[in-house]
Amino acid sequence: MNVLKTLPIETPGAGLSCLEGVRVIDFTTSVAGPYGTLLLADLGAEVIKVERRQGGDDTRSWGPPFLAGESLWFISMNRNKQSIAMDLTQPEGRSLAHELIGHADVVVLNTGRRIQEKLGLDYATLKAFNPGLIHVSVTGFGLEGPRADLPCYDLIAEGYSGVMHLTGEADRPPQKVGTPAADLLSGQDVAMATLAALLERTRTGLGKQIDVSMVATMARFMAPRIVSYLGSDEAPIRSGGTDSVIAIYQVFDTADFPITLGLGNDAIWQRFWTAVGHPGYGEQPGLETNAKRREARHAIVQTIAGILAAQPRQHWLALFGKHRIPAGPINSIDQLSQDEALRDSGMFFAAEGPAGLVPQVGLGIQFDGASAVLRTPPPTLGQDTERILKDVLAKSPGDIADLISAEAL
């Protein structure tokens, strides 16, 4: 089955206008920065993606799989953006970048201070001619400190943060999260911090330097675990699909497929036992609170496992839904993509790209009951270069020819 052809096709429209009039110059590559600017673009900002002349964004080469020669990783991060290709190692390219930034509200980079200064893209340089500029950096370890110049990927940030140490089965090696969590979460921080700075600028008229560290973002992501340790001296341990605090909160087998089950408070605990036909079990002395249930966790888990093994997954999900008990399937990606509720909400769709249909995952946030964000599909490398030079910078054909001769374009 060609899954792409089963997706609803969304035609380009006005999208959201929350950030209409905000221009973002995006010098980032890979995932964290492009995801942050994707969120800004989906919210209505004009995002001009500055790419290397040769190869462009790193993710353009990430594959297979490719679709009509384009990386699907790139396609996942870059709708609603314009692409201009230039060579920042050339003086003319750096001058052109400064011209663009002079017409911008926000600039986003994923390079450290040393490289920013070398290219003339550091905050001090740019602030001098655009004092209202919001300058956002997203790096592995931040712009300052002993690790500032170290390279970093999602994997490295996950390892630093402790999330890998707590992910996986207790008797197995640490595991990476199944999606680039550090990249995506720090990308969300890029968007969140940018929105805060834009709001402040309406009061002050001044820009802001924002420094997003992937490791710091992931450390904050681990706050419930860290604070629990700092306040108790009890270091959490890897526990697979269970939770070390909540009883009961884990994966259970059924007669066919496993399910997740979260009995996160006393009322849900009682409803569960009523639903499965054993109300007396939930009412017995010694199991009134989560703390007490933690002490009896092993026996409780064995009892629940025996009950759930008697019927297939769908039986239990229907029953638990009726009784408002948190439970769900463990979807594979192909199963998730077929989820009717998510499809009906517009979460998964296809857009007509330059070389045919491309799959997309929507924003998933409703604004006044609507969530359609598509204005333009992901761009090919440099496809908007000439139009940006003409429309944004008022360059003449002769100017553009000179830039090409100088190998800036």
Side-chain angles (χ1 to χ4, degrees):
M1 178 179 68
N2 188 327
V3 182
L4 177 57
K5 292 183 178 179
T6 71
L7 295 174
I9 297 175
E10 188 168 316
T11 56
L16 296 170
S17 59
C18 305
L19 296 180
E20 185 175 0
V22 173
R23 178 175 288 150
V24 179
I25 310 299
D26 177 11
F27 291 91
T28 67
T29 185
S30 299
V31 177
Y35 185 63
T37 57
L38 170 67
L39 296 174
L40 296 172
D42 278 358
L43 293 172
E46 175 192 4
V47 176
I48 297 175
K49 184 177 180 68
V50 179
E51 300 190 66
R52 295 187 301 269
R53 288 174 59 217
Q54 303 298 324
D57 187 318
D58 285 350
T59 56
R60 287 190 183 274
S61 65
W62 286 9
F66 295 98
L67 179 65
E70 289 282 2
S71 162
L72 287 158
W73 275 78
F74 177 85
I75 286 171
S76 74
M77 296 283 136
N78 289 287
R79 66 168 167 261
N80 293 338
K81 301 179 186 180
Q82 307 164 60
S83 172
I84 180 171
M86 64 175 70
D87 189 346
L88 294 175
T89 67
Q90 300 294 334
E92 295 84 355
R94 293 194 293 275
S95 177
L96 187 61
H98 280 190
E99 285 190 66
L100 277 174
I101 293 167
H103 291 77
D105 300 285
V106 181
V107 62
V108 186
L109 306 107
N110 63 342
T111 50
R113 186 183 300 280
R114 181 172 54 83
I115 295 176
Q116 289 181 16
E117 291 174 348
K118 180 180 178 180
L119 297 175
L121 298 176
D122 56 290
Y123 181 55
T125 298
L126 301 183
K127 180 184 178 182
F129 64 84
N130 187 348
L133 183 69
I134 295 164
H135 183 281
V136 188
S137 300
V138 54
T139 62
F141 303 97
L143 296 177
E144 304 290 347
R147 295 193 290 244
D149 289 330
L150 293 178
C152 188
Y153 278 119
D154 175 89
L155 175 69
I156 285 76
E158 288 195 34
Y160 265 95
S161 71
V163 70
M164 286 183 66
H165 178 71
L166 292 182
T167 301
E169 296 295 332
D171 58 348
R172 303 290 294 169
Q175 295 292 312
K176 182 189 175 304
V177 178
T179 191
D183 280 328
L184 298 176
L185 289 167
S186 56
Q188 288 185 331
D189 278 0
V190 165
M192 176 180 68
T194 298
L195 295 177
L198 285 168
L199 180 61
E200 183 183 52
R201 195 181 67 173
T202 64
R203 300 192 304 269
T204 67
L206 299 176
K208 184 77 71 178
Q209 184 182 34
I210 297 170
D211 182 1
V212 176
S213 155
M214 291 168 63
V215 170
T217 289
M218 287 303 288
R220 189 185 73 244
F221 179 63
M222 298 299 290
R225 298 298 198 182
I226 296 169
V227 171
S228 294
Y229 163 69
L230 294 176
S232 69
D233 287 335
E234 293 182 14
I237 60 173
R238 194 159 52 252
S239 57
T242 68
D243 187 271
S244 61
V245 175
I246 303 172
I248 300 297
Y249 195 91
Q250 65 181 75
V251 175
F252 286 95
D253 289 326
T254 70
D256 52 8
F257 303 109
I259 64 170
T260 54
L261 178 67
L263 308 183
N265 63 39
D266 296 342
I268 295 172
W269 167 261
Q270 296 289 349
R271 290 203 302 271
F272 170 81
W273 290 106
T274 298
V276 299
H278 299 281
Y281 191 100
E283 297 170 354
Q284 63 182 298
L287 300 180
E288 301 95 336
T289 66
N290 184 74
K292 292 180 178 180
R293 292 192 289 273
R294 279 185 61 185
E295 296 176 4
R297 185 201 302 269
H298 181 71
I300 295 171
V301 167
Q302 284 188 318
T303 301
I304 293 176
I307 293 170
L308 298 185
Q311 295 288 346
R313 177 175 70 181
Q314 196 51 47
H315 168 85
W316 295 119
L317 292 182
L319 180 69
F320 296 156
K322 179 181 177 181
H323 288 265
R324 295 181 298 110
I325 296 163
I330 301 176
N331 282 328
S332 60
I333 294 300
D334 56 317
Q335 290 169 331
L336 176 67
S337 69
Q338 300 298 323
D339 186 279
E340 291 185 10
L342 289 174
R343 281 202 172 207
D344 290 346
S345 73
M347 194 68 194
F348 311 124
F349 63 92
E352 190 67 51
L357 290 178
V358 294
Q360 293 287 280
V361 175
L363 182 61
I365 302 171
Q366 299 286 322
F367 288 80
D368 294 330
S371 63
V373 295
L374 181 67
R375 300 197 307 277
T376 59
T380 56
L381 177 58
Q383 75 170 34
D384 305 293
T385 298
E386 185 172 345
R387 186 183 57 75
I388 291 169
L389 295 178
K390 289 180 177 179
D391 294 350
V392 178
L393 301 181
K395 298 292 185 184
S396 68
D399 295 331
I400 296 173
D402 290 341
L403 289 166
I404 293 173
S405 296
E407 297 186 342
L409 299 177

